[in-house]
Amino acid sequence: MSFQAVVVRKHDHGHCAQHEQVEDSALPEGEVLVNITHSTINYKDGLAITGKAPVVRSFPLVVGIDFAGTVKESSSGDFKTGDAVVLNGWGVGETHWGGLAQRARVKSDWLIPLADGLTSWQAMAIGTAGYTAMLCVLALEEQGVAQGGDILVTGATGGVGSIAISLLSKRGFTVTASSGKPAQADYLKALGASEIIDRATLSSPGKPIAKERWAGVVDTVGGATLANACAATRYGGVVAACGMAQSLDFPGSVAPFILRGVTLAGVDSVYCPKPKRLAAWQQLARELDLDHLNTIAKEIGLGEVIAAATDIVEGRLRGRVVVDVNR
């Protein structure tokens, strides 16, 4: 048997991504074979497909760091045929064949059950981006940021930013969205943002410490934006950092940390322990306004993935992109 997939192959001048037919026999080892129904495109997938960053570590590789579907075969006692499952991270789509395909074979430990109340489409409309957003929200609250505080969300029209705004506003926080897309102001306000600021106010080098403004920050872009967000965080505030869309650099100062007791909390979604990721998904199913997903996400077919990857890397996409792998 064979299946359709987006495959990255290496050549003399770099690598290229193709939508092609793959034999089942080529699938890597793993205890569970999954028939995928939906996947998604994250920023990391865009980098992997376009080659803008060395995300792919092994060739040839089926890309895609997320998928949802049903178990076709399992040698693990944790899952049986017909179980609805979700996968995020664990190096899938980087070192192990991933989810932008109609089938995947993976380790049992990498899978979690689809949370009650979610469809596979909704799970992928959330995806790694939304799951990361929930981890950021939990990091703020675990570090003591009280509900009702002023929270800055950077990269606000992206997947993490969009879902973070929805989650934070529903929890009673006052959310300021930083975006370089003024035309998307109505979209951000519909998700719960109270104020929109131009990302240019944060994206250039700033002062080591600035006027206190934010009780907490969800930062998806890194670079000068992250440094400026830290500089304007209030005494005892928390900055959850989860992305590097602007830069991997941190051109900042220790001043916010030693003068205001600001906490910089790193948020990793790829290797997050299973109990924590299960808790995050369960809270997403309970707390996220699922109606917002119809605003945040759009759907494409597998054959449209390569073009969409370029769009997401170049900042032309808003929110989330769900991939119906059978379309």
Side-chain angles (χ1 to χ4, degrees):
M1 293 181 66
S2 64
F3 60 94
Q4 295 182 62
V6 177
V7 183
V8 172
R9 296 183 181 277
K10 195 170 187 178
H11 55 71
D12 291 341
H13 304 290
H15 77 256
C16 64
Q18 299 178 143
H19 177 206
E20 57 186 77
Q21 204 75 12
V22 180
E23 295 299 318
D24 280 15
S25 58
L27 285 165
E29 293 182 357
E31 299 91 0
V32 185
L33 178 65
V34 179
N35 281 334
I36 298 171
T37 59
H38 297 88
S39 186
T40 181
I41 303 176
N42 296 281
Y43 186 73
K44 185 182 284 187
D45 298 318
L47 294 175
I49 291 168
T50 61
K52 296 291 186 181
V55 172
V56 177
R57 309 296 174 83
S58 148
F59 299 90
L61 190 88
V62 174
V63 290
I65 64 173
D66 289 341
F67 67 72
T70 57
V71 174
K72 179 177 173 60
E73 299 172 4
S74 175
S75 61
S76 164
D78 293 332
F79 297 99
K80 63 182 186 302
T81 301
D83 284 349
V85 293
V86 171
L87 185 142
N88 309 106
W90 296 114
V92 169
E94 299 177 69
T95 58
H96 188 96
W97 282 23
L100 284 166
Q102 293 174 315
R103 271 193 283 288
R105 184 181 286 123
V106 296
K107 293 183 179 181
S108 172
D109 286 346
W110 297 347
L111 293 168
I112 61 171
L114 178 68
D116 290 343
L118 294 180
T119 66
S120 61
W121 188 95
Q122 290 169 331
M124 289 298 97
I126 296 168
T128 283
Y131 150 63
T132 302
M134 177 54 85
L135 291 176
C136 289
V137 173
L138 293 175
L140 296 183
E141 294 193 337
E142 287 166 2
Q143 295 290 337
V145 178
Q147 288 190 3
D150 293 327
I151 307 294
L152 171 68
V153 176
T154 68
T157 61
V160 177
S162 295
I163 293 178
I165 291 168
S166 179
L167 289 168
L168 289 162
S169 62
K170 190 172 182 180
R171 287 183 171 215
F173 292 102
T174 301
V175 182
T176 295
S178 168
S179 173
K181 301 174 181 176
Q184 300 298 334
D186 289 344
Y187 164 77
L188 295 170
K189 288 179 179 178
L191 296 179
S194 299
E195 182 184 356
I196 318 297
I197 61 173
D198 191 325
R199 71 182 179 196
T201 63
L202 296 169
S203 59
S204 298
K207 297 178 180 178
I209 198 158
K211 183 179 178 181
E212 294 178 85
R213 182 163 185 189
W214 321 112
V217 178
V218 173
D219 178 66
T220 70
V221 299
T225 297
L226 174 58
N228 288 325
C230 290
T233 297
R234 295 177 189 165
Y235 191 94
V238 181
V239 178
C242 66
M244 51 84 177
Q246 180 181 358
S247 174
L248 276 170
D249 294 337
F250 179 61
S253 163
V254 298
F257 312 120
I258 63 174
L259 299 180
R260 290 187 184 157
V262 170
T263 296
L264 178 57
V267 175
D268 166 60
S269 62
V270 178
Y271 298 107
C272 179
K274 197 166 185 176
K276 193 168 186 177
R277 69 174 60 218
L278 281 167
W281 272 103
Q282 288 162 2
Q283 288 191 252
L284 281 161
R286 289 195 305 267
E287 297 181 22
L288 182 63
D289 185 339
L290 297 180
D291 289 340
H292 280 172
L293 294 178
N294 297 320
T295 301
I296 292 169
K298 71 171 188 176
E299 180 183 296
I300 64 173
L302 197 58
E304 301 168 86
V305 162
I306 293 173
T310 299
D311 287 340
I312 196 170
V313 169
E314 295 183 358
R316 293 196 293 264
L317 288 181
R318 183 189 83 181
R320 301 281 297 132
V321 179
V322 178
V323 181
D324 182 340
V325 300
N326 296 307
R327 198 182 102 184

